[in-house]
Amino acid sequence: MKKTLNCLVLCFLLLAPALLQAEDCLECHREKTPGAVRIWEKSAHARAGIGCSACHGNDHGRIDAGKASVDMEICGTCHEAALKEHRGSRHGMGLHSGWGCTRNLPQRDKSECRFCHQEGSTRPVTQVECSRFLKQSSEMAELGCNRCHQVESSCASCHSSHATDLAIVRDPGVCAKCHMGPDHPQWEMWQTSVHGTLRASAGPEMGPSCQDCHMAKGSHDVSVGLTMTPGGALYPEAEIPGRRAAMLSICTECHSERFATDDLAAADAVRIQSQALVKKAEAIIWDLADRGLLDPMPTERPPHPLRGEVLVTDSQMLYEETSHIERLFFKMKKYDLAKTVKGAYHQNPAYTHWYGNAELKMDLIDIEAEATRLRERNPSPAAVVAPMGVEDESIEKALEVLKNKFDRGALSAEDYAREKGDLLERFSAGGQ
Amino acid sequence: MKKTLNCLVLCFLLLAPALLQAEDCLECHREKTPGAVRIWEKSAHARAGIGCSACHGNDHGRIDAGKASVDMEICGTCHEAALKEHRGSRHGMGLHSGWGCTRNLPQRDKSECRFCHQEGSTRPVTQVECSRFLKQSSEMAELGCNRCHQVESSCASCHSSHATDLAIVRDPGVCAKCHMGPDHPQWEMWQTSVHGTLRASAGPEMGPSCQDCHMAKGSHDVSVGLTMTPGGALYPEAEIPGRRAAMLSICTECHSERFATDDLAAADAVRIQSQALVKKAEAIIWDLADRGLLDPMPTERPPHPLRGEVLVTDSQMLYEETSHIERLFFKMKKYDLAKTVKGAYHQNPAYTHWYGNAELKMDLIDIEAEATRLRERNPSPAAVVAPMGVEDESIEKALEVLKNKFDRGALSAEDYAREKGDLLERFSAGGQ
Amino acid sequence: MKKTLNCLVLCFLLLAPALLQAEDCLECHREKTPGAVRIWEKSAHARAGIGCSACHGNDHGRIDAGKASVDMEICGTCHEAALKEHRGSRHGMGLHSGWGCTRNLPQRDKSECRFCHQEGSTRPVTQVECSRFLKQSSEMAELGCNRCHQVESSCASCHSSHATDLAIVRDPGVCAKCHMGPDHPQWEMWQTSVHGTLRASAGPEMGPSCQDCHMAKGSHDVSVGLTMTPGGALYPEAEIPGRRAAMLSICTECHSERFATDDLAAADAVRIQSQALVKKAEAIIWDLADRGLLDPMPTERPPHPLRGEVLVTDSQMLYEETSHIERLFFKMKKYDLAKTVKGAYHQNPAYTHWYGNAELKMDLIDIEAEATRLRERNPSPAAVVAPMGVEDESIEKALEVLKNKFDRGALSAEDYAREKGDLLERFSAGGQ
């Protein structure tokens, strides 16, 4: 009720001048941007008398300067519930995770600072910044990153500009634009899954779309029922049962509860098993770093934009200016893990197994082979050591490796003291 | 006639109680599995009065325990001809090649043993078991392997559950669910071939589907006209002309016999040339194994589940816990060879050449480079040898390599004796 | 007017006998090639009375020998404007760049020589020959190369044989057949771009096809508005503004000129940045070659079919029988550069960034790691040098590397003299 009122008030305030002006805009814009006018003319906005300036304003100087694109604050004046749901979902934080600080980007409106910072403050209100974004040129940031990571601020990301046709946003293609490619091919795996293929051959009643499961009943909260955060970790344990139940209530529209429960539980298990493979590879790389064997070491290359001259293998891992073994790990973690896990949750055996699981296991072979090469290439005999033992090491090297492990938190103070004691004792016993 | 009778008798026996019970099932299941009921209600089965228990039985305890899924024996009672054709085709052996022994899988019905074993016997009735399957967790086996390799036992693999709409099984999407991905992207190559693109733009009369060529006239024997076995070898020579003629009779629905014959013959040539590249790479790996240079050697890693501590490069080759060079070979043989050859037979130049042939040739470069690295890394001077000669080898090493070749059957007893004699003579002549 | 006359005259000359003969052909061909007849019967040609022999001729001996396929000279007799536009575009040179010399191909008509040579001469009229094509077997050349690179001579490449339905050539699928795959996935990137997805969900008015932008108003000149040549270089500077304006006139059908101008300018910048990464990798490889460190060196492998025993990294680069580091560079330049740049121009963020930019940067890591390995493996201490300095080199080696750079044109005579002088001075000063 309040919403309707708000909207009416705003429409009135905006439309009174806008309606007058629509004709003025159209006269020129039928020439200048005929497609935009054509699309608007067929829209629900046109039918409701919502003209150009209702959304773009009347200040043509601002429009000419490219500062009148419509952000979701404007849409949200009328579409209040949708905006609220959107903001509560992972789509509402796309910008934070994708943009990082935009201060170096040309042609960026200063008002964008508000997405990450308190008004008038340089202190970010969120911890999430993307190191990969920070390494891009402004053009790659624009065409490669922001075309998807504008989803936080722009309804047009999905609805497209000027159109209001719901067929657009109910088509899985609208999701495909971003949810595709090596890092999260959800569209590809859906398209060739039992769900996607049935939709194509037998219609929407037989085959659910992205929207049917992730935006059930038209909700704009795309995070409903998900147990993994956007970063791939689990939500807090207490939230999991409620989240799983929400997803199962959607699955059971078609499937028996037992079938759906078992299927998602199997995917959970695949996730845990796959993450363990990734952890194994990660441990190999950290051990090499402890021994100073990465090539180049983090101290010998441009610093990580958020962390400096240290090894980073978490969600802020880079794919550039690192070592070859880290780049192999990037593929493993960012691409192949995602394909396995998302393939399992989206019922696509080829992604789960061939594009996912098989690649993960081959990645591990590649990483182990590269680790062997790195260990063997070190000219200092002290470094040519069995990775997990101290058989051929000098006492100095062994103590240094141990200290590195302690420094990075892989050993507790207690374990460090004990292992150090053991080591000294073993060496003083005359043995290497 | 006999079939119709069988079916009628069975329908009568099953339907008498089933018809009574359908209403009972529906009352609850409209709540519990509304999708399943909705789909069934629109099916030919519903129209013919074939209710839930006709296929699932009346024992609700069994149903609750998840033991009442409908295997094809049940479908085959009525759909006899289809079942027979299916069983005679490669789809009828999907399970054998994909499953391996399921004894370690939780939630498996013991009755599945019958797929591979004589009643009451542990002796397999087929030689085919998949080592890759045996290495999987039960969850990966379920979501990654069996979702496709259930095709032997479940009509629903293609027809989907409860639906009888033939549009589902006449759409190439139904094949895509399994026939996609790095190991056999038939769907992707068809979709972008002249056949697939014409179907999309000009309709089924212009562009044949998977089914039009491989299940002509609705046959369930998908192996008609194929000259390669599922493992990629040729069928026995005597069968080839008949098989090729069967395929040509389909091609000539649209093409002249000369065109179709030449086209398939060119694809045959591409197959032979591509297999020769793979053989060349395989020989490099076996030579390294003979010299003890794989890293790790088969004796230094978990044994192959079917063969033990030996090198395996045939269709039972693994992609995990092997050496880096074997993993490169896995990609070459399992992915790139398949893309080249299947691309050629499916009229897709990009798969034939770029995804296929170009990758095969780059694989060979990669494998040769890794072989060089392996030869050079061996600390023993005896092993740093020209791979095909004995120039720098000690006599002991050279004799050992020769014996390894003989032991694995790469040399006949005669050739072994002669090469051994030559070697001893050369060394005793004072030469290296 | 003249065209219509030509066409009428030809039609008359051809059709007089052809019309008589159509019935004769059909009688047999309804049996022999029923599909071809079926398609023709529905075509505009059939409706206009243009029968089989109008295009294929009356000489059945020639037809049986497979020499009566219809090349575009025949189509062009009537479709004159289309042929002219086609010939002026990059499609008109597909054959030249793709085929190379066909003299070794079996089943090739000698008359094809005219595509590259003056009548009766062996001298090519074009410099463009494809070394990759020259390395293929005739069957791979046929199924892998010519299926696309026949576009110069065969209208059926796009229009398909016997059909005249314009729906076929207005569907992006017709482009997909060739414009797909690792080297130029324009179809894949369009399909999942905002343009392709809107076309699928909201129809052709909302989402432009390949044809809408690249064959505007039905033109057969597919090069309109492009600033890059088929080889990836820029057109001459003087042509660029006109070409860009032509493209913008198409974009502004829907977009504001400012938006479209900025978007294409950002893509230009991405192109330049990406090419710089490729140049960086290329310099590493040439430096290795100067130092004799490629494995194998061009002198130790089969000669390049156009250039001989030299390193080739330009558009004639091979993917076979080269060194591992060159093969890594082939992927970088031919696949990943294309994906980045074409992704940017086709509004696909996943191709621009993940399939493109991220791969380019990982390629560089891989190439640098392999370069390190190659430098370290050389047994001669003189070759184990810092790549850009002379710190550990002997004077002889340093002079040789300098001479190699000069010989391949990377140093001017002046720079060569100066660097040589510097080098001699530094060494004679007693320094390393």
Side-chain angles (χ1 to χ4, degrees):
Chain A
M1 190 62 204
K2 181 162 163 273
K3 185 201 139 179
T4 317
L5 210 69
N6 269 357
C7 185
L8 282 174
V9 170
L10 180 111
C11 283
F12 181 80
L13 290 172
L14 288 168
L15 293 180
L19 277 172
L20 288 173
Q21 202 144 4
E23 285 313 304
D24 302 349
C25 299
L26 295 178
E27 205 177 315
C28 282
H29 277 274
R30 268 191 233 282
E31 281 287 308
K32 292 232 157 202
T33 55
V37 172
R38 212 165 49 225
I39 294 167
W40 172 82
E41 283 175 334
K42 291 186 180 167
S43 74
H45 286 154
R47 287 193 297 276
I50 304 186
C52 311
S53 59
C55 303
H56 293 287
N58 291 308
D59 179 351
H60 215 283
R62 253 187 113 240
I63 293 170
D64 282 343
K67 295 189 170 179
S69 4
V70 178
D71 103 356
M72 62 180 42
E73 301 286 340
I74 294 167
C75 308
T77 327
C78 296
H79 304 279
E80 209 179 303
L83 179 61
K84 197 179 158 198
E85 285 168 345
H86 175 84
R87 283 220 168 115
S89 84
R90 59 191 63 198
H91 272 172
M93 59 168 287
L95 194 76
H96 295 160
S97 61
W99 274 22
C101 181
T102 60
R103 67 177 165 270
N104 296 321
L105 298 185
Q107 304 168 339
R108 282 262 151 234
D109 191 331
K110 289 262 174 162
S111 72
E112 285 179 348
C113 299
R114 75 184 155 85
F115 293 130
C116 303
H117 298 275
Q118 291 292 351
E119 186 78 37
S121 161
T122 58
R123 221 180 130 129
V125 293
T126 166
Q127 294 291 342
V128 190
E129 282 187 296
C130 178
S131 59
R132 288 188 287 273
F133 176 83
L134 295 173
K135 300 284 278 185
Q136 302 305 329
S137 73
S138 62
E139 292 86 3
M140 180 53 68
E142 188 60 36
L143 300 187
C145 309
N146 294 340
R147 282 287 152 89
C148 289
H149 288 278
Q150 67 188 354
V151 69
E152 182 187 271
S153 64
S154 163
C155 298
S157 302
C158 302
H159 288 271
S160 89
S161 298
H162 306 117
T164 58
D165 184 352
L166 290 178
I168 293 172
V169 282
R170 287 176 179 160
D171 189 285
V174 82
C175 312
K177 286 184 297 176
C178 294
H179 291 272
M180 64 164 289
D183 58 327
H184 47 30
Q186 289 111 327
W187 176 69
E188 293 93 326
M189 53 182 64
W190 169 83
Q191 192 198 20
T192 46
S193 73
V194 64
H195 289 160
T197 54
L198 277 177
R199 188 177 188 84
S201 62
E205 283 204 29
M206 281 290 284
S209 66
C210 313
Q211 291 86 344
D212 287 336
C213 299
H214 294 294
M215 302 182 80
K217 302 182 185 80
S219 165
H220 277 67
D221 180 356
V222 294
S223 301
V224 167
L226 300 183
T227 53
M228 284 165 71
T229 68
L234 284 183
Y235 278 102
E237 213 177 321
E239 288 188 31
I240 305 280
R243 293 187 156 271
R244 178 55 50 95
M247 184 54 77
L248 282 172
S249 79
I250 294 164
C251 304
T252 51
E253 285 286 309
C254 294
H255 299 286
S256 78
E257 189 163 350
R258 194 183 46 72
F259 176 85
T261 305
D262 288 355
D263 197 68
L264 292 176
D268 291 342
V270 165
R271 174 176 50 73
I272 292 166
Q273 292 153 12
S274 303
Q275 285 169 333
L277 290 175
V278 171
K279 284 279 166 221
K280 199 167 166 185
E282 197 171 20
I284 291 171
I285 293 172
W286 277 93
D287 184 75
L288 289 165
D290 287 338
R291 289 166 201 280
L293 296 178
L294 294 179
D295 174 35
M297 284 292 288
T299 49
E300 301 161 349
R301 61 201 200 198
H304 187 280
L306 296 173
R307 310 271 180 81
E309 293 185 343
V310 294
L311 177 62
V312 175
T313 57
D314 61 20
S315 63
Q316 293 293 354
M317 191 183 188
L318 296 175
Y319 53 68
E320 60 193 289
E321 297 177 324
T322 67
S323 65
H324 179 59
I325 201 168
E326 288 166 76
R327 164 263 189 280
L328 294 174
F329 183 66
F330 185 87
K331 171 186 182 289
M332 183 182 199
K333 179 173 175 161
K334 182 80 182 161
Y335 296 169
D336 302 329
L337 177 63
K339 285 174 189 163
T340 317
V341 176
K342 291 179 196 300
Y345 285 117
H346 288 91
Q347 294 79 41
N348 189 304
Y351 274 93
T352 310
H353 178 252
W354 287 115
Y355 282 122
N357 179 60
E359 289 296 316
L360 283 179
K361 289 178 173 175
M362 289 194 276
D363 292 335
L364 197 54
I365 291 174
D366 293 347
I367 285 171
E368 279 165 350
E370 175 65 4
T372 299
R373 186 177 84 82
L374 288 171
R375 284 184 210 113
E376 290 179 355
R377 78 184 274 275
N378 199 294
S380 142
V384 186
V385 295
M388 301 306 169
V390 293
E391 286 71 11
D392 302 318
E393 277 180 318
S394 71
I395 179 71
E396 291 78 15
K397 183 73 193 173
L399 286 170
E400 187 194 322
V401 171
L402 214 54
K403 184 166 182 307
N404 286 337
K405 278 185 208 276
F406 171 66
D407 287 347
R408 67 171 161 102
L411 279 181
S412 68
E414 198 172 69
D415 286 347
Y416 177 42
R418 202 196 55 248
E419 290 204 18
K420 201 162 133 185
D422 288 357
L423 197 62
L424 291 167
E425 193 174 326
R426 216 162 355 132
F427 271 88
S428 66
Q432 15 135 247
Chain B
M1 189 62 207
K2 180 163 164 272
K3 185 200 140 178
T4 316
L5 210 70
N6 268 358
C7 186
L8 281 174
V9 170
L10 181 111
C11 283
F12 180 81
L13 290 172
L14 287 168
L15 292 180
L19 277 171
L20 288 171
Q21 201 144 2
E23 285 313 303
D24 303 347
C25 300
L26 294 178
E27 204 177 315
C28 282
H29 277 274
R30 267 192 235 281
E31 280 287 308
K32 292 232 156 202
T33 55
V37 172
R38 212 165 49 226
I39 295 166
W40 174 82
E41 282 176 334
K42 291 185 181 168
S43 73
H45 286 155
R47 287 193 297 278
I50 305 188
C52 310
S53 59
C55 303
H56 294 286
N58 290 307
D59 178 351
H60 215 284
R62 255 186 113 238
I63 293 170
D64 283 342
K67 296 189 171 180
S69 5
V70 178
D71 103 356
M72 61 179 45
E73 301 287 340
I74 294 168
C75 307
T77 327
C78 296
H79 304 279
E80 209 179 303
L83 180 60
K84 197 179 160 199
E85 285 168 346
H86 175 84
R87 283 221 168 116
S89 83
R90 59 192 63 198
H91 272 173
M93 60 168 286
L95 194 75
H96 295 160
S97 61
W99 273 22
C101 182
T102 59
R103 67 176 165 270
N104 296 321
L105 298 185
Q107 305 169 338
R108 283 260 151 235
D109 191 330
K110 289 262 174 162
S111 73
E112 285 178 348
C113 299
R114 75 184 154 85
F115 293 129
C116 304
H117 299 274
Q118 293 290 353
E119 186 76 36
S121 160
T122 58
R123 221 180 131 128
V125 292
T126 166
Q127 294 290 340
V128 189
E129 282 186 298
C130 178
S131 60
R132 289 189 286 273
F133 175 83
L134 295 174
K135 299 285 276 186
Q136 303 304 329
S137 73
S138 61
E139 292 87 3
M140 179 54 68
E142 188 60 35
L143 301 186
C145 309
N146 293 340
R147 282 288 151 90
C148 289
H149 288 279
Q150 68 188 353
V151 69
E152 182 187 272
S153 64
S154 162
C155 299
S157 302
C158 301
H159 287 272
S160 89
S161 298
H162 305 117
T164 58
D165 185 353
L166 289 178
I168 293 172
V169 282
R170 287 176 179 159
D171 189 285
V174 81
C175 312
K177 286 184 296 175
C178 294
H179 291 272
M180 63 164 289
D183 58 328
H184 48 29
Q186 289 111 327
W187 176 70
E188 294 92 326
M189 52 182 65
W190 169 84
Q191 192 199 21
T192 47
S193 73
V194 64
H195 288 160
T197 55
L198 278 177
R199 188 177 188 84
S201 63
E205 283 204 28
M206 281 289 285
S209 66
C210 313
Q211 291 86 344
D212 287 336
C213 299
H214 294 294
M215 302 180 81
K217 303 184 185 77
S219 165
H220 277 67
D221 180 355
V222 295
S223 301
V224 168
L226 300 183
T227 54
M228 285 165 70
T229 68
L234 285 182
Y235 277 101
E237 213 177 319
E239 289 188 31
I240 305 280
R243 292 186 156 272
R244 179 53 51 94
M247 184 53 77
L248 283 172
S249 78
I250 295 164
C251 304
T252 51
E253 285 287 307
C254 294
H255 299 286
S256 77
E257 189 163 350
R258 194 184 44 74
F259 175 85
T261 304
D262 288 355
D263 198 68
L264 292 176
D268 291 341
V270 165
R271 174 176 51 74
I272 292 166
Q273 292 153 13
S274 303
Q275 285 169 333
L277 290 174
V278 171
K279 285 279 166 218
K280 200 168 166 184
E282 197 171 19
I284 291 171
I285 292 172
W286 277 93
D287 184 74
L288 289 165
D290 286 338
R291 290 166 202 279
L293 296 178
L294 294 179
D295 174 37
M297 285 292 287
T299 48
E300 299 162 350
R301 60 200 200 199
H304 187 280
L306 296 174
R307 310 271 181 81
E309 293 185 343
V310 293
L311 177 62
V312 175
T313 58
D314 61 20
S315 63
Q316 293 292 356
M317 190 183 188
L318 295 175
Y319 53 68
E320 60 192 290
E321 297 177 324
T322 68
S323 66
H324 179 59
I325 201 166
E326 288 166 77
R327 163 263 189 280
L328 294 174
F329 183 65
F330 186 87
K331 170 185 181 290
M332 182 182 200
K333 180 173 176 162
K334 182 80 183 161
Y335 296 169
D336 302 329
L337 177 62
K339 286 174 189 163
T340 317
V341 176
K342 291 178 196 299
Y345 285 116
H346 287 91
Q347 294 80 40
N348 189 304
Y351 274 92
T352 310
H353 178 251
W354 287 115
Y355 281 122
N357 179 59
E359 289 296 316
L360 283 179
K361 289 177 173 177
M362 290 196 275
D363 293 334
L364 197 54
I365 292 174
D366 293 348
I367 285 171
E368 278 166 349
E370 175 65 4
T372 299
R373 187 177 85 81
L374 288 171
R375 284 183 209 114
E376 289 179 356
R377 77 185 276 273
N378 198 295
S380 141
V384 186
V385 295
M388 301 305 168
V390 294
E391 286 72 10
D392 300 319
E393 278 179 318
S394 70
I395 179 70
E396 290 78 15
K397 183 74 193 170
L399 286 170
E400 187 194 323
V401 170
L402 214 55
K403 185 165 183 308
N404 286 338
K405 278 185 208 276
F406 171 65
D407 288 347
R408 67 172 162 100
L411 280 181
S412 68
E414 199 171 68
D415 285 348
Y416 178 43
R418 201 196 56 248
E419 290 204 18
K420 203 162 132 184
D422 289 356
L423 197 63
L424 289 168
E425 194 174 326
R426 214 161 357 129
F427 270 90
S428 67
Q432 17 139 251
Chain C
M1 190 61 206
K2 181 162 162 273
K3 183 201 140 179
T4 317
L5 210 69
N6 269 356
C7 187
L8 282 174
V9 170
L10 181 112
C11 284
F12 180 80
L13 290 172
L14 287 169
L15 292 180
L19 278 170
L20 288 173
Q21 203 146 3
E23 285 314 304
D24 301 349
C25 300
L26 294 178
E27 204 177 313
C28 282
H29 277 273
R30 268 192 233 282
E31 280 287 308
K32 292 232 155 199
T33 56
V37 173
R38 213 165 48 226
I39 295 166
W40 173 82
E41 283 175 334
K42 291 185 180 167
S43 74
H45 286 154
R47 289 192 296 277
I50 304 186
C52 310
S53 59
C55 302
H56 293 286
N58 290 308
D59 179 351
H60 216 282
R62 254 188 112 238
I63 292 170
D64 283 342
K67 296 190 171 178
S69 7
V70 178
D71 103 356
M72 61 179 46
E73 301 287 340
I74 293 168
C75 308
T77 326
C78 295
H79 304 279
E80 210 179 302
L83 179 61
K84 198 180 158 197
E85 285 168 346
H86 175 83
R87 283 220 169 115
S89 83
R90 58 191 64 197
H91 272 173
M93 59 168 287
L95 194 75
H96 295 159
S97 60
W99 275 22
C101 182
T102 59
R103 67 178 165 270
N104 297 320
L105 298 186
Q107 304 168 339
R108 282 263 149 233
D109 190 330
K110 289 262 173 161
S111 73
E112 284 178 349
C113 299
R114 75 185 155 82
F115 293 129
C116 302
H117 299 275
Q118 293 291 353
E119 185 77 37
S121 159
T122 58
R123 222 180 129 130
V125 293
T126 167
Q127 295 290 342
V128 189
E129 283 187 296
C130 178
S131 59
R132 288 189 287 272
F133 175 83
L134 295 173
K135 300 284 277 187
Q136 302 305 328
S137 73
S138 62
E139 291 87 4
M140 180 54 69
E142 187 61 37
L143 301 187
C145 308
N146 294 341
R147 281 288 151 89
C148 289
H149 288 278
Q150 68 189 354
V151 69
E152 182 186 271
S153 64
S154 163
C155 298
S157 302
C158 303
H159 287 272
S160 88
S161 298
H162 306 116
T164 58
D165 185 354
L166 289 177
I168 292 172
V169 281
R170 286 176 179 160
D171 189 285
V174 80
C175 312
K177 285 184 298 175
C178 294
H179 291 273
M180 63 164 291
D183 57 328
H184 47 30
Q186 290 111 327
W187 175 71
E188 293 92 325
M189 52 182 65
W190 169 84
Q191 192 199 21
T192 47
S193 73
V194 64
H195 288 160
T197 55
L198 278 177
R199 188 177 188 83
S201 62
E205 283 205 26
M206 280 290 285
S209 66
C210 313
Q211 291 86 343
D212 287 336
C213 299
H214 293 294
M215 301 181 81
K217 302 182 186 77
S219 165
H220 277 68
D221 180 355
V222 295
S223 301
V224 168
L226 301 184
T227 54
M228 285 164 70
T229 67
L234 285 182
Y235 277 102
E237 213 176 319
E239 289 188 31
I240 304 281
R243 293 187 156 271
R244 179 54 51 94
M247 185 53 77
L248 283 171
S249 78
I250 294 164
C251 304
T252 51
E253 286 285 309
C254 294
H255 299 286
S256 79
E257 189 163 350
R258 194 184 44 74
F259 175 85
T261 304
D262 288 356
D263 198 68
L264 292 177
D268 290 342
V270 164
R271 173 176 51 74
I272 292 166
Q273 293 153 13
S274 304
Q275 285 169 333
L277 290 174
V278 171
K279 284 278 167 221
K280 200 167 167 184
E282 198 171 18
I284 291 172
I285 293 172
W286 277 93
D287 184 75
L288 289 165
D290 287 338
R291 290 167 201 278
L293 297 178
L294 294 179
D295 175 36
M297 285 291 288
T299 50
E300 300 161 351
R301 60 202 201 199
H304 188 280
L306 295 173
R307 311 270 180 81
E309 293 185 342
V310 293
L311 177 62
V312 175
T313 58
D314 61 20
S315 62
Q316 293 292 353
M317 189 182 190
L318 295 176
Y319 53 68
E320 59 193 290
E321 297 176 323
T322 68
S323 66
H324 179 59
I325 200 166
E326 288 166 76
R327 163 264 190 278
L328 293 174
F329 183 66
F330 185 87
K331 170 185 181 289
M332 182 182 201
K333 180 173 176 161
K334 182 80 183 162
Y335 296 168
D336 302 329
L337 177 63
K339 285 174 190 164
T340 317
V341 176
K342 291 180 196 298
Y345 285 116
H346 287 92
Q347 294 79 41
N348 190 304
Y351 274 92
T352 311
H353 178 252
W354 287 115
Y355 282 122
N357 179 59
E359 289 296 316
L360 282 179
K361 290 177 173 176
M362 290 195 275
D363 292 335
L364 197 55
I365 292 175
D366 293 347
I367 285 170
E368 279 165 350
E370 176 66 2
T372 299
R373 186 177 85 83
L374 288 171
R375 284 183 210 112
E376 289 178 357
R377 79 185 274 273
N378 199 295
S380 143
V384 185
V385 294
M388 300 305 169
V390 293
E391 286 72 9
D392 301 317
E393 278 179 317
S394 71
I395 180 71
E396 291 78 15
K397 183 74 194 172
L399 286 170
E400 187 195 323
V401 171
L402 214 55
K403 185 165 181 308
N404 286 338
K405 278 185 207 277
F406 171 65
D407 287 347
R408 66 172 162 101
L411 280 180
S412 68
E414 199 172 68
D415 285 348
Y416 177 43
R418 201 196 54 250
E419 290 204 20
K420 201 162 133 185
D422 289 357
L423 197 62
L424 290 167
E425 195 175 325
R426 215 162 356 132
F427 271 90
S428 67
Q432 20 136 251

